[in-house]
Amino acid sequence: MFRIGVHNRAFTRRAFGQLRFNSTKAPGEFTWVDYFQLKKQNSRLNMFSGAVTGVLGSALTLGYLGNIEIDVEKPIFGFDPLMVMGGTVILGGLVGYLVGPFMGSAVFKMMHRSKMAQFEVRNKEFLQRLRRNRPDPSSQSFSNPIPDYYGEKIYSLKDYQQWLRDCNAFRRKAKEFL
């Protein structure tokens, strides 16, 4: 017969002390906290990849223009050739910067392939909540700008709650001053 003594109780506490029995999250559940963490990671990855591809685009454009012969005395489209070359390098960087988020999103989707379906469902819910709670922008003014219309700066539940408060303040100010 098995008896639970003092020694056995200590063993059970050590064995099960790491488990949380009253947890509100199921093992496979995708919570809003998880969604906001992934949203923040996606945004940062897109920003980083945009910066990297922008620098690469400028460098590739500069490398190409550095290897072709241009007569500096003949204008190109009526402009100074050095100005056209400088503008082309800047344009190459801008095109690279615009291509970066596409690459960042692809990398993000490959990194989180198992969570993407749940992430997309939460993203759709989040955007519906934004549409539902977003104030009417027609009443904005210089002294009463609309708060973050697309919710791009919301990366946590605290940020979302603050956004809701800002939207309510916007509505109240718009109603009072019109």
Side-chain angles (χ1 to χ4, degrees), residues 11-24:
F11 174 76
T12 13
R13 280 193 195 125
R14 268 187 271 127
F16 296 109
Q18 302 298 321
L19 295 177
R20 287 186 56 191
F21 292 107
N22 60 353
S23 177
T24 57

Side-chain angles (χ1 to χ4, degrees), residues 110-164:
M110 286 189 329
M111 285 172 45
H112 301 287
R113 196 173 309 155
S114 62
K115 300 176 187 176
M116 279 314 295
Q118 295 169 331
F119 179 78
E120 292 298 329
V121 168
R122 286 285 182 188
N123 196 31
K124 188 180 248 185
E125 287 177 37
F126 177 69
L127 294 175
Q128 286 173 350
R129 286 175 186 259
L130 283 181
R131 275 188 226 111
R132 188 173 49 232
N133 295 314
R134 180 183 297 152
D136 183 24
S138 64
S139 59
Q140 77 175 344
S141 65
F142 184 71
S143 61
N144 189 21
I146 191 163
D148 195 12
Y149 190 76
Y150 296 105
E152 295 169 334
K153 298 175 187 171
I154 301 174
Y155 293 119
S156 68
L157 291 173
K158 185 178 178 182
D159 293 342
Y160 179 68
Q161 291 168 347
Q162 183 62 48
W163 180 81
L164 287 174

Side-chain angles (χ1 to χ4, degrees), residues 9-142:
R9 284 185 193 156
F11 174 76
T12 13
R13 280 193 195 125
R14 268 187 271 127
F16 296 109
Q18 302 298 321
L19 295 177
R20 287 186 56 191
F21 292 107
N22 60 353
S23 177
T24 57
K25 180 182 173 187
E29 187 180 359
F30 191 75
T31 63
W32 283 105
V33 174
D34 298 334
Y35 166 74
F36 284 125
Q37 286 174 347
L38 287 180
K39 182 181 178 221
K40 186 181 224 179
Q41 186 179 6
N42 186 23
S43 175
R44 287 182 177 171
L45 186 62
N46 287 344
M47 191 182 321
F48 175 75
S49 64
V52 168
T53 55
V55 169
L56 284 175
S58 290
L60 288 174
T61 306
L62 186 63
Y64 174 74
L65 291 177
N67 288 327
I68 60 173
E69 283 190 39
I70 295 178
D71 187 10
V72 292
E73 294 181 3
K74 286 186 179 178
I76 301 174
F77 301 118
F79 295 105
D80 182 35
L82 293 178
M83 295 296 284
V84 171
M85 289 176 64
T88 307
V89 170
I90 292 172
L91 186 65
L94 288 174
V95 168
Y97 181 75
L98 292 175
V99 169
F102 291 109
M103 296 174 68
S105 292
V107 169
F108 176 77
K109 287 178 181 178
M110 286 189 329
M111 285 172 45
H112 301 287
R113 196 173 309 155
S114 62
K115 300 176 187 176
M116 279 314 295
Q118 295 169 331
F119 179 78
E120 292 298 329
V121 168
R122 286 285 182 188
N123 196 31
K124 188 180 248 185
E125 287 177 37
F126 177 69
L127 294 175
Q128 286 173 350
R129 286 175 186 259
L130 283 181
R131 275 188 226 111
R132 188 173 49 232
N133 295 314
R134 180 183 297 152
D136 183 24
S138 64
S139 59
Q140 77 175 344
S141 65
F142 184 71

